[in-house]
Amino acid sequence: MKQDFRNVLGQACNAAILAGCIILFLGLYYCIIKAGIPYQDPPLELQIKYAIHMGIGDILTKTGAIIIFFSGGARLLLAKLLKDASHDI
């Protein structure tokens, strides 16, 4: 029973890390591919599109990095706690 619970927690942390990676790469896609390099004197429509895509990319990149950081920390903490708990048994 305890081992099943440990496996579920480990898989949840791994899933969160994977989700963070996907969100991070989507944010990079928006920043690099969708927004691209702005023109020197773009029309207003292109300025608006660039600002929207860069805003979306910035938010997604930050969110993905935060998710990876905290879920990775939780995974390391979980591994440390489970390692210490296995020595007590």
Side-chain angles (χ1 to χ4, degrees):
M1 183 67 178
K2 288 182 182 181
Q3 190 64 29
D4 292 337
F5 184 67
R6 291 176 183 173
N7 288 338
V8 168
L9 284 178
Q11 287 179 354
C13 287
N14 290 340
I17 292 170
L18 181 63
C21 288
I22 291 170
I23 292 171
L24 178 74
F25 285 124
L26 282 174
L28 292 174
Y29 168 76
Y30 264 92
C31 286
I32 296 170
I33 304 297
K34 293 288 277 187
I37 299 173
Y39 293 111
Q40 187 171 356
D41 287 327
L44 183 61
E45 180 183 344
L46 288 180
Q47 288 178 354
I48 293 170
K49 283 184 179 181
Y50 177 79
I52 289 171
H53 290 309
M54 280 304 287
I56 292 170
D58 187 41
I59 291 170
L60 286 175
T61 303
K62 287 180 184 176
T63 304
I66 289 170
I67 291 172
I68 291 171
F69 179 74
F70 284 113
S71 58
R75 180 71 173 136
L76 289 174
L77 182 65
L78 181 66
K80 175 73 172 151
L81 291 175
L82 293 179
K83 183 180 177 185
D84 290 342
S86 67
H87 290 298
D88 293 338
I89 297 175

